[in-house]
Amino acid sequence: MPLIPEEPQIHESAQGPRATPATGRTAPTPRPVPGPRPAAPSRPGRPGPLRPTPPVQRTPRDVAPAKPGPSGPAVPAATAASPQIQLIPASAEGALDAAEEAVDLLLDSGRAPGDVLVITTGAQHPWAEHELSFGETSYWAQHDAGDDVFYADAALASRAATRPVVVVAVNGGAASVAATALPLAHSRAGALLIVCGDPQQINSVLGAGV
């Protein structure tokens, strides 16, 4: 007589995936995948990978609403000639790196490269040193074009035009150089002045000269 095949047996090992993790084991938690990060615009002298920095605040260019003065007449709370000042503590050796990081963050936040002027009180920025090797005419032509970050040392900064953001690296030089460069930078900043250096020195200069 014909053989009747036995019904197949389903073993536990062949069952589908469990609805819940086994006792004593924790189900892995999926990690979020970061979205694409927009690339920062290219600029001269960009020094390699970014490092985390404190967020750089941007100041609205509009004049704040008027507030009543102590004697009655209304006085403006802020004016276009008074940029916001931000201090980034740094040693003389680290001031230029701190300034570069601040510029990186400005560009990443949407600032146009042509909005930014960088002033050094000690050694020149490598880009400025390189461009000046071709002569001052070519160097200042790039400043006048106004389409990229411009770097100048304190001795040349008086020739620079006003830009919305000025970043100062107090990276050495005589105390008298910083005492001259900081008020000059303040006068060249349309909306924001960022100063990287020793806080005590910076406050003493800006407090007296601004």
Side-chain angles (χ1 to χ4, degrees), residues 8-18 20 22-23:
Q9 297 182 357
I10 299 175
H11 298 281
E12 183 181 355
S13 60
Q15 295 177 357
R18 299 180 179 182
T20 57
T23 304

Side-chain angles (χ1 to χ4, degrees), residues 36-142:
R37 182 171 179 266
S42 59
R43 63 184 179 84
R46 193 179 182 89
L50 305 182
R51 290 184 288 266
T53 60
V56 178
Q57 299 178 354
R58 296 178 60 185
T59 303
R61 300 187 186 185
D62 298 332
V63 177
K67 295 182 179 180
S71 59
V75 295
T79 66
S82 300
Q84 178 187 353
I85 300 175
Q86 182 179 2
L87 171 61
I88 299 178
S91 64
E93 295 75 16
L96 189 55
D97 284 341
E100 286 284 9
E101 291 168 358
V103 172
D104 286 336
L105 199 57
L106 286 165
L107 299 182
D108 289 343
S109 69
R111 276 287 181 186
D115 284 354
V116 184
L117 169 66
V118 180
I119 298 173
T120 56
T121 64
Q124 288 181 334
H125 186 278
W127 180 86
E129 187 175 7
H130 176 265
E131 294 301 322
L132 282 167
S133 68
F134 297 102
E136 287 198 14
T137 300
S138 172
Y139 172 75
W140 286 108
Q142 297 188 60

Side-chain angles (χ1 to χ4, degrees), residues 92 120-123 154-155 168-183 201-202 204-205:
T120 56
T121 64
V168 181
V170 185
N171 61 330
S176 59
V177 175
T180 301
L182 291 175
Q201 179 188 12
I202 294 167
S204 66
V205 172

